[in-house]
Amino acid sequence: MNKAKFLPRLFLSTAALFLPLAAHAQYSGYAPRPYPPPFAQQRPEMVLGTAHVDGPVDHDDIHVERYAGRFHFVLLQVHDAPIRFDHVVIHYANGEAQTLPVSVVIPPSGTSQWIALPGGERRIHSLELWYARAEPGNPIRPEVELFGAP
């Protein structure tokens, strides 16, 4: 038999055998899942607390311990006026603390990216915010809202 005719036939017959198996794995739930799963597939976020930037530069502590949940991600949402974030210190329920450099200006109605908590799912005791008004002359007092997601 001619090799030029044999190889395409071999490929097609092999594909015909394995294609139904691949389709079955994809639709039957046996296909490998990406980790971590896309955020849209996870449970909805929860508001953990709010704080206001009272002076030109401020430092606030949002206590989260009243929530029994464990979180993989946190997000900051800004209202009323822009805020310049320097860093965030996360205090975990087990006594550990972790400093995360944020170094970003978030406009009003804007959010940070979802911040993944190193070490996976963690119980948060409190979150320290080190921030400033991005527009010091603006008389509007900016507000930040903290969200957590499992």
Side-chain angles (χ1 to χ4, degrees), residues 29 36 40 50 60-61 79 94 100-101 108 111 133:
T50 60
D60 282 309
D61 200 9
H79 301 285
N94 66 359
L100 303 173
T111 64
R133 291 182 183 208

Side-chain angles (χ1 to χ4, degrees), residues 32-119:
R33 304 273 188 240
Y35 187 80
F39 185 75
Q41 294 176 1
Q42 296 177 5
R43 288 177 266 161
E45 67 271 6
M46 171 188 292
V47 177
L48 302 179
T50 60
H52 291 90
V53 183
D54 297 319
V57 177
D58 201 358
H59 163 246
D60 282 309
D61 200 9
I62 298 176
H63 290 276
V64 180
E65 61 190 309
R66 66 183 176 267
Y67 297 102
R70 296 176 181 267
F71 303 98
H72 279 100
F73 303 93
V74 292
L75 176 129
L76 304 168
Q77 184 173 22
V78 172
H79 301 285
D80 304 324
I83 299 176
R84 179 183 312 280
F85 288 89
D86 182 51
H87 66 281
V88 172
V89 181
I90 300 175
H91 297 275
Y92 298 105
N94 66 359
E96 292 179 25
Q98 188 165 33
T99 301
L100 303 173
V102 179
S103 302
V104 67
V105 174
I106 300 176
S109 301
T111 64
S112 67
Q113 295 181 350
W114 282 99
I115 301 166
L117 301 180

Side-chain angles (χ1 to χ4, degrees), residues 8 22-23 51 73 125 138:
F73 303 93
H125 171 71
N138 188 344

